[in-house]
Each structure stands twice: as structure tokens, then as C-alpha cells.
Amino acid sequence: MQATAGAIAAPYSTVRDRTWHMVDLFLQRLLAVTLLLGGVPSMVLGIGLASTNPTAWGYSREQQEASIILFGGGGLVATAAGSLLELNFRQQRRQRQKQRLQRFLHGLIRESQGSLGMIEWVTRASDRVPWPTEELKSFLKTEALLLNAEVSSDELGNIRYRFPFDPQRQDQQQQLRRLLHALIQQQQGRVSLVDWVTQASTLVPWPTADLRAFLEAEASLLEANPEVVDNNTLYYCFAPPALPTAAPPSA
């Protein structure tokens, strides 16, 4: 527990960590674009070579086959690798945006003492991440469900959520979230329910059911996959794109 407490007292999400992560994303995107720009034309050239008559161009059938393998095969590999890198980049960017929205939402809940309208949310959240309006609405609905918010609407149909607001509870949630992020990094993305409850219960005086529900909600947000091993121990496996690079600061 001492190591975990140290990780909470001195979060790993320093400015240097975030800077290196941004550099890593930039290099990953640059490599993906480079592979795609080189792979697609090479693959097209390979297809073109396969459809030509080698004698008309003054080279042998063996030379044609070698060129097809070089350009077509190499282009196919480069295109596939570039596509995978681009997909991974988009997943990481999406996950960071979700985490940013969640931190922003908790800040708004504090600022408004638990009362938040859908129009206000969409207006302010759209300045944070470039998501379509419907996706921002869906995000708020999901978070409101997880946080047991009450929903109401006025005569014009404007929706308003009333979140349970307890400053002490909010602070405890931030402590738990920092603990979870520290465990994810320490255990390389694989967090057991037993370990989580054991350590979290020493941090905040919550019932076991509440601690489990908190972990389930965070795992859902971070798109973690539950896994039960042979001894019936439940683990949450956080995929590499979902691993947090910054522990959410207190709002």
C-alpha cells in the first residue's frame, strides 16, 4: 500500500509524461501517414505491373514477378501497417477526449452544485472536444445514468439533470480515480476486483458494493474488458489505447 500511496501523492501524470505522450502520438500519426502515402501508390504500381506484358517493356517474366512482389507485396504490407497505426491513433485520441469530457463534466457539476442543462452542456463541451452534438448528448445521458442523476424538462422540452452533489463524496471519487489510474499503470493494465476493493477501502469509507460499482463504471468508461481467471478472480483488462496518461486532477 505504501507504493500506491506514493503514486497518489506524486502522480505519474507529470508535464513531462504528457509531453512525451503527445510526441509519441505525433510520431505515430506521422509514421502512419508516411506508410499510407508510400504503400498505396506502391500497391497500385504492383497491380499495374501484374496486368502488363513484360515483353512489351523489354524485361523478362522473372523481372516482372520480382517487381510485383517488391512493389505490390511491399505496398500491401506498408498500407496494412499504416492503417493499423492510424486506427490505434484514432482510438487513443478518442479515449483522451472521453477522459477530458468526464473531468470537465465533474467540474461543471461542482460549479453548478449538481444542476446541469443539456443545452449548457453541449454548448460548453463542444469547445472542449470536436464531437457532434448527438454524441455529446449521448455522453451526458450515459454519465447521468452512471451517477444516478435525476432528469427533468421544462415546458419547452429543455432537459436538465440534477446530479447528487456532495463535496465530500466528490473528493473521495477523485481520490479513488487517482488510485485506479495508479493501479492501472503499476499492474500494466490488469486490475483485479479483490485488489481494488482491498486498497480502495483503506482510502475511503465506502461499502464494498459502492467500490465495486465505481470500478465497473470507470472500467466501462475506459472500455476495459472483464476477465475471470481459474480461481474465479475477476480482473479488468485495460487495452493499451485506454491506458490513462494523466490522472484526472481534482475539479
Side-chain angles (χ1 to χ4, degrees), residues 70-88:
L70 175 63
F71 291 103
L76 180 61
V77 171
T79 301
S83 299
L84 289 175
L85 283 173
E86 178 66 17
L87 177 61
N88 186 60

Side-chain angles (χ1 to χ4, degrees), residues 29-78:
R29 188 68 183 279
L30 180 62
L31 180 58
V33 172
T34 302
L35 287 171
L36 289 172
L37 289 178
V40 173
S42 180
M43 187 169 57
V44 172
L45 178 59
I47 295 174
L49 289 172
S51 61
T52 61
N53 184 0
T55 57
W57 295 89
Y59 56 88
S60 66
R61 176 68 64 180
E62 289 75 14
Q63 290 175 322
Q64 181 190 37
E65 292 176 352
S67 298
I68 293 173
I69 294 174
L70 175 63
F71 291 103
L76 180 61
V77 171

Side-chain angles (χ1 to χ4, degrees), residues 3-15:
T4 303
I8 297 173
Y12 59 86
S13 55
T14 60
V15 173

Side-chain angles (χ1 to χ4, degrees), residues 1-6 8 172 175-176 178-180 183 186 193-208 210-212:
M1 181 62 193
Q2 184 177 2
T4 303
I8 297 173
Q172 290 173 342
Q175 293 178 51
L176 289 176
R178 287 193 289 269
L179 170 63
L180 175 59
L183 288 176
Q186 291 171 8
L193 176 61
V194 174
D195 191 25
W196 162 254
V197 171
T198 300
Q199 298 201 39
S201 61
T202 65
L203 193 62
V204 299
W206 286 18
T208 299
D210 288 358
L211 292 174
R212 177 167 184 162

Side-chain angles (χ1 to χ4, degrees), residues 20 49 54-55 66 73-74 83 91 101 104 109 114-115 130 158 170-171 173 176 192 210 213 244:
W20 276 112
L49 289 172
T55 57
S83 299
Q91 289 176 336
L101 281 179
F104 182 59
I109 292 174
S115 181
N158 297 319
Q170 293 289 324
D171 290 337
Q173 289 178 346
L176 289 176
S192 75
D210 288 358

Side-chain angles (χ1 to χ4, degrees), residues 44-247:
V44 172
L45 178 59
I47 295 174
L49 289 172
S51 61
T52 61
N53 184 0
T55 57
W57 295 89
Y59 56 88
S60 66
R61 176 68 64 180
E62 289 75 14
Q63 290 175 322
Q64 181 190 37
E65 292 176 352
S67 298
I68 293 173
I69 294 174
L70 175 63
F71 291 103
L76 180 61
V77 171
T79 301
S83 299
L84 289 175
L85 283 173
E86 178 66 17
L87 177 61
N88 186 60
F89 168 81
R90 291 176 182 271
Q91 289 176 336
Q92 290 192 52
R93 182 177 61 182
R94 179 77 174 187
Q95 188 59 45
R96 287 176 63 85
Q97 290 173 343
K98 288 175 66 175
Q99 293 174 356
R100 191 183 311 157
L101 281 179
Q102 187 193 44
R103 293 193 295 268
F104 182 59
L105 174 60
H106 282 276
L108 287 181
I109 292 174
R110 282 177 172 271
E111 179 183 308
S112 62
Q113 296 188 350
S115 181
L116 180 62
M118 179 67 80
I119 295 178
E120 178 187 2
W121 162 254
V122 171
T123 301
R124 300 186 63 175
S126 60
D127 294 333
R128 298 279 174 161
V129 298
W131 284 16
T133 298
E134 291 304 318
E135 291 188 20
L136 291 173
K137 289 182 178 180
S138 177
F139 179 89
L140 181 59
K141 290 177 182 178
T142 301
E143 289 296 306
L145 181 63
L146 291 173
L147 297 174
N148 297 319
E150 297 178 358
V151 60
S152 61
S153 60
D154 58 20
E155 60 277 5
L156 298 178
N158 297 319
I159 299 175
R160 178 164 291 274
Y161 292 95
R162 182 69 186 179
F163 294 86
F165 181 70
D166 181 351
Q168 182 180 7
R169 183 82 171 183
Q170 293 289 324
D171 290 337
Q172 290 173 342
Q173 289 178 346
Q174 292 296 340
Q175 293 178 51
L176 289 176
R177 192 164 289 114
R178 287 193 289 269
L179 170 63
L180 175 59
H181 286 202
L183 288 176
I184 290 174
Q185 171 145 345
Q186 291 171 8
Q187 301 179 12
Q188 298 183 347
R190 197 164 180 262
V191 180
S192 75
L193 176 61
V194 174
D195 191 25
W196 162 254
V197 171
T198 300
Q199 298 201 39
S201 61
T202 65
L203 193 62
V204 299
W206 286 18
T208 299
D210 288 358
L211 292 174
R212 177 167 184 162
F214 180 89
L215 178 59
E216 290 175 350
E218 290 296 306
S220 175
L221 178 72
L222 297 174
E223 300 179 351
N225 296 317
E227 174 185 292
V228 179
V229 297
D230 294 337
N231 58 358
N232 291 325
T233 301
L234 176 63
Y235 285 84
Y236 286 95
C237 302
F238 296 82
L243 293 181
T245 56

